[in-house]
Amino acid sequence: MTTAADIMHAGARWIPAGETLDRAAQLMRELDVGALPISDNDDRMCGIVTDRDIVVKCVAAGHDPSRVTCGELAEGTPRWVGAEADVGEVLQEMTEHRIRRLPVIDGDKRLVGMISEADLARHLSDDQIAAFCGHVYAESH
């Protein structure tokens, strides 16, 4: 059985909710990633900030990324999967919620990795990838 831990990109890092978006962008550049899980004061995930969020919801909206916090952009219920979850569960979570990046949490609720579309592409069959893309990129009605 292939698990989330088998396909994830290890070494993911949180960014605190109170950290500014310019710092998030700098950390994304340092880590060469396009998204960071956001942690609250109790080190629990309260959202994810993406490079696109910073551009669309902050910069393009005329806001200063050095004055807007990651927590201000966090929306909705954060989604994640346990490290031991079967790859089928990973696909279901990402497909059902139409998300492209999924944090992986261990048994102690610590962030241990992220699963991206690129990770899926390296580990899934062509049929599984096609089904995933069909759902995630389908227009919402």
Side-chain angles (χ1 to χ4, degrees):
M1 169 178 88
T2 303
T3 67
D6 296 328
I7 66 172
M8 72 182 188
H9 178 82
R13 297 217 351 231
W14 299 109
I15 189 153
E19 207 48 88
T20 58
L21 296 180
D22 62 337
R23 178 63 190 127
Q26 292 163 0
L27 187 56
M28 286 179 197
R29 182 187 63 213
E30 290 169 22
L31 299 174
D32 193 27
V33 299
L36 294 168
I38 303 168
S39 67
D40 64 15
N41 292 336
D42 297 321
D43 283 334
R44 299 194 54 96
M45 187 169 61
C46 61
I48 292 181
V49 63
T50 67
D51 48 7
R52 187 173 192 282
D53 290 336
I54 295 169
V55 171
V56 173
K57 296 177 182 177
C58 179
V59 176
H63 303 293
D64 181 351
S66 68
R67 295 181 183 267
V68 178
T69 66
C70 294
E72 291 176 77
L73 257 59
E75 297 176 350
T77 303
R79 309 307 309 178
W80 54 271
V81 67
E84 296 304 316
D86 178 85
V87 71
E89 294 173 59
V90 171
L91 280 173
Q92 180 180 350
E93 188 71 18
M94 292 177 80
T95 301
E96 183 177 324
H97 299 285
R98 298 183 66 182
I99 54 178
R100 300 174 185 167
R101 298 172 180 102
L102 185 64
V104 180
I105 308 294
D106 71 7
D108 294 327
K109 302 293 184 200
R110 291 177 303 156
L111 178 69
V112 293
M114 290 280 281
I115 297 174
S116 69
E117 295 166 311
D119 297 317
L120 294 178
R122 283 191 293 274
H123 294 92
L124 301 179
S125 71
D126 290 345
D127 289 341
Q128 288 173 309
I129 294 167
F132 169 75
C133 291
H135 290 290
V136 172
Y137 293 103
E139 293 201 27
S140 58
H141 301 282

